[in-house]
Amino acid sequence: MKTFTYSTLAALYATLSAAQVAPAAITTNNPIGATYKANLLDKNTTGIRGSVTATSSSNGTGVVFQVDLFGFPDENAYVYHIHAAPLDAAGNCTKALAHLDPYQRGEAPPCDSAQPQTCQVGDLSGKHGNITTSPFQATYTDLYTSTQEGIGSFFGNRSLVVHSKNTTRLNCANFTLVPGSTGGGSPPSSPAPSGALPTGPSSNPTTGSPPPPAFTGAAATLKVASTGLTVLGCLVAFLI
């Protein structure tokens, strides 16, 4: 009974903690025409191959992703994410570190695709759907990643990792700027992207930019989460 209680409290704590994290900001100043591509490596440990191409949207708001992956051994759900670090020269997928997560949300609770602003920025399959067929093709606009250098949602110096559902890293690739893709003219006239970490070591999600925009229900959510964490703390103290 006590084990069940502790596990339940742990799950509740994760949910309430995630509710306190600021929502990801929509990126609105992406250089038009900037294109980055990740080509999965030619590994002898897997037949999974393909690429993900990402281009700034025509108005500079968000990024259009084109996913073209194949070679999956079955139709079980596979997942893919942008990870925080690039691969090393040997192409070691573990060197990619964790998911791109400039708002420090964490992986629990799972991403809710109906509220993509509450997910990790790099959780592409969580926001836009798992890989369930082979070959797998998808095109979508992600509003929370960026092709603008200098903020945490920028992925051009990071990597892509394809996982099995048990989180095993199956294949990976670095994003690189497509030759001839220089961003064209100036970005559209709009506020700079906000609310994301710069690419440096700072841990403040709003460093160098305005705070993230408010979204409906945020204040109430934060208040409830804060109260819930206080109550949860009392329950844990009581059980101990």
Side-chain angles (χ1 to χ4, degrees), residues 22-212:
I26 294 174
T27 61
T28 56
N29 206 30
N30 297 305
I32 295 175
T35 300
Y36 291 86
K37 188 172 186 178
N39 290 301
L40 293 181
L41 301 176
D42 186 16
K43 289 180 172 288
N44 57 16
T45 56
T46 180
I48 297 172
R49 299 289 187 270
S51 63
V52 173
T53 305
T55 304
S56 302
S57 67
S58 59
N59 64 359
T61 298
V63 177
V64 179
F65 282 81
Q66 292 180 297
V67 183
D68 185 7
L69 303 173
F70 57 93
F72 295 91
D74 51 51
E75 293 189 352
N76 291 327
Y78 293 83
V79 297
Y80 62 106
H81 314 104
I82 298 172
H83 280 239
L87 311 178
D88 61 11
N92 187 342
C93 294
T94 62
K95 297 299 184 181
L97 301 183
H99 302 164
L100 176 59
D101 188 19
Y103 295 88
Q104 301 178 33
R105 173 200 187 275
E107 294 187 34
C111 169
D112 178 0
S113 60
Q115 301 184 73
Q117 75 277 14
T118 67
C119 302
Q120 291 178 306
V121 169
D123 190 359
L124 296 181
S125 57
K127 290 183 282 185
H128 304 286
N130 293 338
I131 299 166
T132 56
T133 61
S134 186
F136 174 79
Q137 294 180 321
T139 299
Y140 52 80
T141 299
D142 186 275
L143 296 175
Y144 309 100
T145 49
S146 178
T147 57
Q148 170 130 355
E149 296 185 37
I151 61 173
S153 52
F154 174 67
F155 60 88
N157 57 353
R158 307 184 193 276
S159 57
L160 177 83
V161 178
V162 177
H163 305 253
S164 63
K165 281 294 283 185
N166 69 2
T167 73
T168 300
R169 302 185 182 199
L170 302 174
N171 208 340
C172 51
N174 285 332
F175 279 99
T176 58
L177 186 67
V178 172
S181 169
T182 59
S186 302
S189 178
S190 60
S194 60
L197 283 171
T199 51
S202 170
S203 59
N204 182 353
T206 57
T207 298
S209 57

